[in-house]
Amino acid sequence: MNGYNFAYLDEQTKRMIRRAILKAVAIPGHQVPFASREMPLPYGWGTGGIQVTASILGREDVLKVIDQGADDTTNAVSIRRFFAATAGVQTTTRTADASVIQTRHRIPEAPLTEQQILVYQVPQPEPLYRLEPSRAETTRMHALAEYGAMHVKLYEDIARLGQVAISYDYPVMVNGRYLTSPSPIPAFDNPKLHRMPALQLFGAGREKRIYAIPPYTDVRSLDFEDHPFRPHRADAACALCGSRQSYLDEVVTDNRGGRMFVCSDTDHCASRRAAGCEGVAA
Amino acid sequence: MPDMMLRTEGLTKGFTLHLQGGLRLAVLAGIDLAVRAGECVALTGPSGAGKTTLLRSLYGTCRADGGRILIRHRGTLLDLAAADPRAIVAVRTETLGYVSQFLRVVPRVAAREIVAEAAIARGQAPAAARAAAEALLLRLAIPARLHDLPPATFSGGEQQRVNLARGFVAGHPILLLDEPTAALDAANRATVLTLISEAKARGAAIVTILHDAAALAAAADRAFPMTALQDAA
Amino acid sequence: MSDPTLLSARGLRLSFGAIPALAGVDLDLWPGEVLAVVGESGSGKTTLLNVLSGRVRPDAGVVWYRDPDGALHDVHAMEAPLLRRLHRSDWGFVHQDPRQSLRMGVSAGGNVGERLMAAGARHYGRIRASALDWLAEVEIDPARIDDLPRIFSGGMLQRLQVARTLATHPRLVFMDEPTGGLDVSVQARLLDLIRRLVARHGLAVVLVTHDLAVARLLAQRIVVMRRGLAVETGLTDQVLEDPQHPYTQLLVSSVLQA
């Protein structure tokens, strides 16, 4: 790690980001602008999450990085190596052993604790951006808590399709005040946001926004009284560990239409198999 | 006098025609007219004598330049010439009925509704008002098959009879009728004269313009002759 | 009259550079009353509507609004959230171009429902039932509830805007040339519809129009605007049949028999 400051970013930048994080924690769900830095990887590869992680990382921390639940995909491996090289911190793939978990598009299956921080990589922090193109107007809508337009989107889905057709990045109300994007996690994960013991930090590098959900904050997925929010999961068991509770990825296995469902959370699946659980393909 | 329904005192009205270099036409000067309950007064005189202007002033359409127009409204005499617009609207809804010479057609509103509206505005239940409207339209020889149609496509005579039904249906204590028998055939003219005498019988005060001498003799208790003023430049 | 006004303006002034759009206008509106503001283009009538509705701040003068509980509010001193809430609940605004207020990519039902949802409705079934009622009320076939407005005709769009505006049962509606740009036959239908809805729901309306026939059909009272001044005001038949001011006489004599 010669030639770099600890965790790559200089201390002034970390301080600036920490101030943004403190403000974000103080106003749960509110997007706080910050001076996002150029990082040694392109936008869309987790520059926001990396800057947040770099700013909160200490020498004693144990870091886990997942991409869609997996520790062994390119994005997860690169970021893990990046911090191993620039901060020299210990890394792990085991959820329970990590003190900081940076994630792209999933929340681990294992419940998190007060001792852990979950850092999300966020491509688009503004939940209203598809409905209202003007940033100035969405800022005003947040300030006045005018979220009727978001319910119109849900209404349209039910009217056309009989149900809300948002399967990921399903908008939530944080602490009964701010409409917030949970990042593109599957709607299946939304219930885990609610009153989570771990601190949740969200970093959007390209959009230069940071927001937070402090421990034990109320998080409600938007819905109607007569069409309550229902998390969706493929109706199958993991082919490797047999789980019927975890979130599943569909994997195509050959060119003849063969496919199988496996846990998207690789650590969860591995620990179940280590404990003797088996699926049909095991 | 408790049965005095309508009285003007020194009513004066003129028109300033700004588009003709401010030409000033004096039409009414010092008109004193009094009408009691159950009385029908006919305004008579040549064209240009100001009969229609007087009738329109009594309704508040023409704004008086001087004098008072006292109307018995909710038990007291109210000066229409000094009343604000909302008071005039209330007087028209409850007290003053007006039949103009031509029906102002409202698109897409059925004849029955046009007539019933006046009674509903005066507080009648909608169903009763519609029934009364239908009965009156039939008396004025508007057949039932036309009641559902908007009068825009009716003949001039039919429109005028719808207009009369609208004027008589609500039972206003004061009625202002501008040539109610013009353009009517003998049978309908007789019906209108009956309607006038029925209104008188229930105590209505009526001011009307009648050119037809026979009708005047039959309906009016007395005439109020008017003459054209010299144009004051 | 002693009964309280719904909206009162005193001494409204507003200049755009050297041009006075409002040069001292007073106005009162009572509950359930339709007031037409007439005048030619540039007379200040649309500016007056924008100032009355709190959308544009005057240089001087005050606009008072009485809420359903009887409390008076200075419209231009209200906090922005309150004013916006007012515009979504007790007030409505019908624009000449319905595309200004409708969401063209959202179904007819969603457009009507948005006002209800913005006011806090969270029951899909009831929102939809209300949207169906309102579509029927403005004579749009309820079977078209899930159609996008972009395939609607101009008259249907305007009726949809009216339905959306009235969905929260406002007491006061501002209308800016609601029949402008429509074919004559379509205009007649819309006018008749507005006339009936106003009567049935007891709406108070400030109606801006350059069309005296529209004013005659809908309004009890008329204000004639010219060069930022209300040059004449009175009952509709008074202003149209016994116009006093030279400009009103010109205006009345300039139209074909209405």
Side-chain angles (χ1 to χ4, degrees):
Chain A
M1 58 181 275
N2 286 338
Y4 293 108
N5 187 37
F6 176 76
Y8 185 77
L9 290 177
D10 64 275
E11 293 304 313
Q12 286 301 332
T13 296
K14 288 190 203 170
R15 242 176 244 134
M16 174 272 293
I17 293 175
R18 286 178 201 139
R19 278 196 293 270
I21 292 172
L22 281 175
K23 185 170 176 184
V25 168
I27 316 171
H30 171 63
Q31 302 165 46
V32 180
F34 79 109
S36 180
R37 296 291 191 248
E38 291 296 328
M39 298 302 286
L41 75 169
Y43 290 132
W45 287 77
T47 54
I50 289 172
Q51 292 180 74
V52 170
T53 300
S55 305
I56 62 170
L57 215 53
R59 294 186 190 278
E60 306 305 314
D61 271 314
V62 180
L63 178 68
K64 171 182 163 79
V65 183
I66 51 173
D67 175 6
Q68 310 249 26
D71 295 88
D72 54 3
T73 53
T74 310
N75 192 231
V77 170
S78 320
I79 294 172
R80 197 162 58 233
R81 282 190 188 156
F82 173 79
F83 280 113
T86 61
V89 293
Q90 204 188 324
T91 60
T92 183
T93 59
R94 293 181 54 80
T95 302
D97 294 345
S99 60
V100 175
I101 302 170
Q102 180 169 332
T103 178
R104 175 175 175 271
H105 303 186
R106 268 314 308 273
I107 296 176
E109 302 288 351
L112 302 183
T113 70
E114 291 177 8
Q115 312 307 319
Q116 295 175 304
I117 298 176
L118 187 57
V119 178
Y120 295 77
Q121 301 171 198
V122 180
Q124 176 50 261
E126 178 49 71
L128 296 163
Y129 86 108
R130 279 184 203 282
L131 306 170
E132 176 51 64
S134 155
R135 233 326 160 168
E137 183 58 23
T138 58
T139 302
R140 198 173 298 125
M141 290 160 82
H142 283 297
L144 302 172
E146 287 180 2
Y147 297 134
M150 194 73 235
H151 268 94
V152 171
K153 155 79 178 131
L154 304 192
Y155 168 94
E156 292 286 285
D157 279 358
I158 299 172
R160 279 165 213 285
L161 309 161
Q163 60 184 18
V164 174
I166 308 174
S167 52
Y168 63 92
D169 204 355
Y170 192 108
V172 294
M173 283 297 285
V174 172
N175 202 28
R177 175 58 182 85
Y178 283 99
L179 185 71
T180 304
S181 157
S183 86
I185 60 171
F188 173 84
D189 279 343
N190 270 25
K192 297 178 194 157
L193 297 161
H194 179 60
R195 302 194 69 79
M196 183 191 281
L199 171 63
Q200 304 176 72
L201 300 176
F202 298 78
R206 185 189 58 217
E207 301 295 324
K208 302 178 174 57
R209 292 291 189 283
I210 286 172
Y211 53 104
I213 303 176
Y216 302 108
T217 301
D218 283 342
V219 178
R220 276 190 61 91
S221 302
L222 244 53
D223 61 1
F224 289 102
E225 291 161 24
D226 50 343
H227 284 263
F229 172 78
R230 257 191 228 106
H232 178 76
R233 176 185 179 278
D235 186 19
C238 171
L240 300 177
C241 78
S243 172
R244 289 196 158 273
Q245 266 80 49
S246 67
Y247 190 72
L248 301 177
D249 282 338
E250 186 178 0
V251 181
V252 176
T253 54
D254 54 36
N255 285 337
R256 299 186 301 277
R259 56 191 192 142
M260 64 180 198
F261 287 98
V262 295
C263 288
S264 106
D265 185 334
T266 50
D267 174 57
H268 177 72
C269 198
S271 6
R272 277 175 56 84
R273 277 179 286 153
C277 299
E278 281 194 3
V280 288
Chain B
M1 282 179 287
D3 65 344
M4 186 59 68
M5 296 300 288
L6 181 158
R7 189 170 75 228
T8 68
E9 294 172 352
L11 176 59
T12 300
K13 172 68 186 170
F15 296 99
T16 305
L17 305 182
H18 292 285
L19 303 184
Q20 267 105 62
L23 179 67
R24 170 101 199 133
L25 297 178
V27 180
L28 306 175
I31 297 282
D32 296 315
L33 167 71
V35 188
R36 294 163 186 276
E39 185 180 32
C40 178
V41 175
L43 308 181
T44 59
S47 294
K51 302 186 293 293
T52 295
T53 298
L54 175 54
L55 211 60
R56 287 182 170 196
S57 300
L58 297 180
Y59 195 58
T61 297
C62 289
R63 288 171 273 195
D65 297 330
R68 304 205 295 166
I69 302 168
L70 300 171
I71 303 278
R72 185 168 298 283
H73 174 66
R74 295 180 187 168
T76 58
L77 286 176
L78 178 144
D79 183 3
L80 205 65
D84 72 42
R86 287 171 17 89
I88 296 176
V89 169
V91 168
R92 288 176 179 180
T93 303
E94 295 171 35
T95 306
L96 273 179
Y98 184 77
V99 176
S100 59
Q101 280 196 61
F102 300 101
L103 177 68
R104 195 164 282 285
V105 178
V106 181
R108 293 211 312 157
V109 181
R112 179 197 302 106
E113 292 301 315
I114 288 184
V115 176
E117 251 172 21
I120 293 170
R122 225 180 149 244
Q124 270 199 42
R130 287 191 190 102
E134 284 179 11
L136 208 47
L137 285 169
L138 289 173
R139 281 184 74 184
L140 286 159
I142 305 287
R145 64 186 160 79
L146 295 185
H147 295 183
D148 281 327
L149 301 179
T153 53
F154 291 11
S155 73
E158 284 164 342
Q159 289 193 6
Q160 176 59 359
R161 281 175 276 144
V162 172
N163 206 16
L164 283 160
R166 179 180 166 83
F168 279 100
V169 75
H172 288 110
I174 301 173
L175 287 175
L176 310 173
L177 312 175
D178 193 352
E179 305 214 27
T181 58
L184 296 185
D185 61 22
N188 284 314
R189 192 179 304 134
T191 306
V192 170
L193 296 178
T194 312
L195 288 173
I196 290 176
S197 63
E198 284 172 9
K200 280 164 60 181
R202 66 167 167 80
I206 298 172
V207 181
T208 180
I209 301 172
L210 281 175
H211 285 303
D212 168 8
L216 196 148
D221 297 292
R222 63 188 167 89
F224 185 82
M226 298 178 71
T227 49
L229 296 178
Q230 289 299 322
D231 289 355
Chain C
M1 296 282 273
S2 57
D3 49 328
T5 56
L6 184 60
L7 197 73
S8 285
R10 291 293 177 270
L12 294 182
R13 289 178 180 279
L14 178 60
S15 297
F16 298 119
I19 301 156
L22 298 176
V25 175
D26 295 348
L27 180 145
D28 288 303
L29 183 75
W30 280 269
E33 182 183 44
V34 180
L35 176 69
V37 180
V38 303
E40 63 199 5
S41 303
S43 61
K45 54 192 196 305
T46 296
T47 301
L48 177 61
L49 198 68
N50 287 333
V51 169
L52 289 175
S53 59
R55 293 152 56 97
V56 171
R57 185 175 287 278
D59 295 337
V62 64
V63 180
W64 294 103
Y65 153 73
R66 193 178 303 273
D67 71 21
D69 298 326
L72 274 180
H73 301 270
D74 176 345
V75 168
H76 293 281
M78 283 172 92
E79 299 275 347
L82 270 178
L83 186 62
R84 283 174 70 118
R85 195 177 310 149
L86 193 56
H87 270 285
R88 295 196 312 262
S89 53
D90 201 33
W91 287 9
F93 207 112
V94 174
H95 296 92
Q96 171 169 3
D97 181 0
R99 291 167 190 83
Q100 247 183 289
S101 77
L102 294 174
R103 289 183 191 272
M104 300 307 281
V106 166
S107 69
N111 267 291
V112 177
E114 179 172 5
R115 263 205 54 125
L116 298 166
M117 291 183 254
R122 292 291 180 266
H123 190 285
Y124 174 83
R126 284 201 283 275
I127 291 165
R128 197 161 170 85
S130 178
L132 283 169
D133 285 349
W134 277 106
L135 290 181
E137 188 131 9
V138 299
E139 301 173 13
I140 293 175
D141 181 356
R144 307 201 62 175
I145 184 168
D146 294 328
D147 287 355
L148 292 182
R150 65 167 70 105
I151 61 171
F152 284 11
S153 68
M156 273 175 83
L157 279 181
Q158 195 55 290
R159 280 181 279 134
L160 181 61
Q161 188 190 193
V162 170
R164 171 184 166 95
T165 306
L166 299 187
T168 54
H169 293 280
R171 292 185 307 151
L172 172 57
V173 179
F174 300 94
M175 298 188 182
D176 190 4
E177 304 274 10
T179 59
L182 296 177
D183 290 346
V184 177
S185 61
V186 177
Q187 255 190 44
R189 180 175 186 183
L190 182 68
L191 282 174
D192 173 49
L193 186 81
I194 292 176
R195 182 176 169 275
R196 276 192 288 122
L197 290 174
V198 162
R200 187 179 311 164
H201 299 284
L203 299 177
V205 179
V206 181
L207 166 79
V208 160
T209 179
H210 68 278
D211 187 339
L212 295 182
V214 169
R216 185 191 283 280
L217 198 62
L218 294 179
Q220 282 109 51
R221 281 200 300 134
I222 287 184
V223 173
V224 182
M225 294 281 298
R226 189 192 189 210
R227 293 181 186 161
L229 285 170
V231 294
E232 184 162 355
T233 175
L235 288 168
T236 300
D237 59 321
Q238 290 176 335
V239 172
L240 296 185
E241 285 169 39
D242 185 18
Q244 311 281 311
H245 190 274
Y247 177 67
T248 315
Q249 292 188 358
L250 177 65
L251 208 60
V252 170
S253 65
S254 303
V255 287
L256 302 172
Q257 195 59 48

